[in-house]
């Protein structure tokens, strides 16, 4: 059973929304990331395959390619993260389009391990163009991810799916999503971050459009932003101050990769300045 029941979590998060307290979630690709995030008071920890790649010095987008089985990697990471996240709900990234698992059985397994909820990652939502069309036409589609979120909701797991359009925000909300997470693209900055991204103001506009669409379906759905140019506390503050619908932020690279790069580089530079 999950350590944190969905109803209790949602009561807490809805109270935070009413009090205008930002809900902050963070990706954890290692146990030490999870321990440090929890020590800082983070509200949600999310683990998925990209966390392993980015903390190995590879781009988070590696999680979208065939470098390993995404769902198996999450099960491996569970043993590293779940035992050390003692006070924080942990969300599992689920590859909803995986054709080699029985999804209801897999979701129950995640719940029994101690996960409190799920997110749709890897996701075809981040793919566009002819390749996305080919995926959709051959049954590897976003609708399958929506179905997975609906199945997770049915067994009372917290659901925090990525969305990439107003239509997808509506579909996920109709499926029972507790949160929607407008995804602004691969996070910028650092040694392996993206260099092409929307502006912060463009992101605010999209977050509000998608959030408004979701709240026409259900007013209590929570909206937290992710990715693209939103990669620092100052960026998050800008989004929250200018958005009508955003209730918080979910960081992945911005929560563990960027701080690690900065801290290690700075610390080693201090050693290199030692004189004798």
């Amino acid at each position: 059973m999950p350590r944190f029941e969905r109803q209790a979590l949602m009561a807490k998060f809805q109270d935070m929304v009413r009090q205008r307290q930002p809900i902050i979630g963070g990706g954890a690709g290692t146990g030490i990331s999870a321990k440090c995030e929890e020590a800082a008071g983070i509200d949600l920890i999310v683990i998925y395959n990209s966390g392993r790649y980015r903390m190995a010095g590879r781009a988070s987008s590696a999680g979208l390619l065939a470098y390993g089985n995404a769902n198996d990697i999450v099960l491996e990471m569970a043993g590293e993260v779940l035992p050390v996240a003692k006070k924080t709900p942990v969300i599992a990234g689920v590859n909803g389009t995986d054709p080699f698992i029985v999804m209801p059985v897999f979701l129950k397994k995640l719940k029994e391990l101690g996960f409190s909820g799920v997110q749709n990652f890897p996701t075809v939502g981040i793919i566009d163009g002819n390749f996305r069309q080919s995926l959709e036409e051959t049954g590897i589609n976003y609708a399958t991810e929506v179905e997975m979120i609906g199945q997770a909701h049915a067994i009372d797991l917290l659901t925090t799916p990525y969305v990439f359009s107003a239509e997808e925000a509506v579909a996920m909300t109709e499926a029972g999503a507790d949160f929607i997470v407008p995804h602004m693209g691969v996070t910028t900055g650092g040694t392996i971050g993206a260099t092409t991204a929307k502006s912060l103001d463009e992101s605010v506009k999209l977050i509000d459009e998608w959030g408004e669409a979701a709240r026409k379906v259900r007013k209590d759905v929570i909206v937290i932003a992710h990715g693209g140019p939103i990669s620092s506390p100052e960026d998050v503050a800008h989004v929250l101050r200018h958005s009508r619908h955003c209730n918080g932020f979910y960081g992945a690279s911005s929560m563990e990769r960027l701080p690690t790069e900065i801290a290690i580089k700075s610390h080693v530079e201090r050693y290199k300045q030692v004189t004798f």
Side-chain angles (χ1 to χ4, degrees):
M1 295 296 291
R3 297 175 185 174
F4 302 90
E5 296 296 335
R6 174 181 166 272
Q7 291 88 345
L9 287 173
M10 286 306 296
K12 170 191 172 182
F13 293 139
Q14 292 292 0
D15 188 56
M16 291 178 71
V17 170
R18 286 190 291 271
Q19 296 187 44
R20 296 182 62 82
Q21 296 175 356
I23 299 167
I24 304 298
T30 64
I32 191 65
S33 295
K35 288 182 77 169
C36 292
E37 289 171 354
E38 180 168 272
I42 204 162
D43 299 304
L44 288 167
I45 292 173
V46 187
I47 64 175
Y48 51 71
N49 68 330
S50 275
R52 172 158 291 181
Y53 295 126
R54 70 171 158 264
M55 298 311 285
R58 276 68 173 181
S60 295
S61 53
L64 297 167
L65 297 176
Y67 302 140
N69 184 298
N71 290 326
D72 285 349
I73 289 171
V74 166
L75 292 178
E76 292 171 10
M77 294 171 70
E80 186 171 345
V81 172
L82 288 173
V84 301
K86 302 181 184 300
K87 301 181 293 183
T88 311
V90 181
I91 308 300
V94 176
N95 183 356
T97 62
D98 186 341
F100 297 102
I101 59 173
V102 179
M103 187 58 70
V105 175
F106 184 68
L107 293 173
K108 287 178 183 177
K109 181 176 183 178
L110 294 175
K111 188 173 183 178
E112 290 168 358
L113 281 171
F115 285 101
S116 297
V118 298
Q119 184 174 51
N120 57 324
F121 194 89
T123 171
V124 299
I126 204 167
I127 300 169
D128 57 15
N130 291 334
F131 183 45
R132 171 66 180 275
Q133 184 176 346
S134 296
L135 292 173
E136 293 281 344
E137 290 174 352
T138 53
I140 305 172
N141 50 43
Y142 192 82
T144 307
E145 299 176 24
V146 174
E147 182 180 1
M148 180 273 290
I149 291 296
Q151 291 172 330
H153 176 75
I155 62 170
D156 223 23
L157 284 166
L158 189 76
T159 49
T160 67
Y162 283 134
V163 300
F164 302 84
S165 69
E167 293 77 17
E168 291 172 357
V170 166
M172 283 297 190
T173 307
E174 289 176 342
D178 299 301
F179 287 58
I180 61 161
V181 185
H183 195 302
M184 296 295 107
V186 177
T187 301
T188 59
T191 59
I192 52 174
T195 56
T196 302
K198 304 172 179 68
S199 70
L200 280 175
D201 289 334
E202 288 171 336
S203 296
V204 168
K205 183 174 182 292
L206 290 174
I207 292 163
D208 277 346
E209 286 178 3
W210 305 351
E212 182 175 353
R215 285 186 170 146
K216 286 180 180 177
V217 176
R218 204 177 70 247
K219 291 186 178 181
D220 65 349
V221 67
I222 295 172
V223 181
I224 61 174
H226 169 75
I230 315 170
S231 61
S232 72
E234 293 75 19
D235 298 332
V236 174
H238 179 92
V239 170
L240 291 174
R241 287 169 185 158
H242 292 84
S243 169
R244 293 177 290 110
H245 290 287
C246 192
N247 305 121
F249 173 67
Y250 162 51
S253 292
S254 55
M255 204 65 72
E256 61 172 352
R257 174 179 64 80
L258 290 171
T260 299
E261 290 183 14
I262 295 165
I264 292 177
K265 182 174 181 292
S266 174
H267 198 62
V268 172
E269 285 172 346
R270 289 173 59 204
Y271 280 108
K272 289 297 291 180
Q273 292 166 4
V274 169
T275 58
F276 63 96

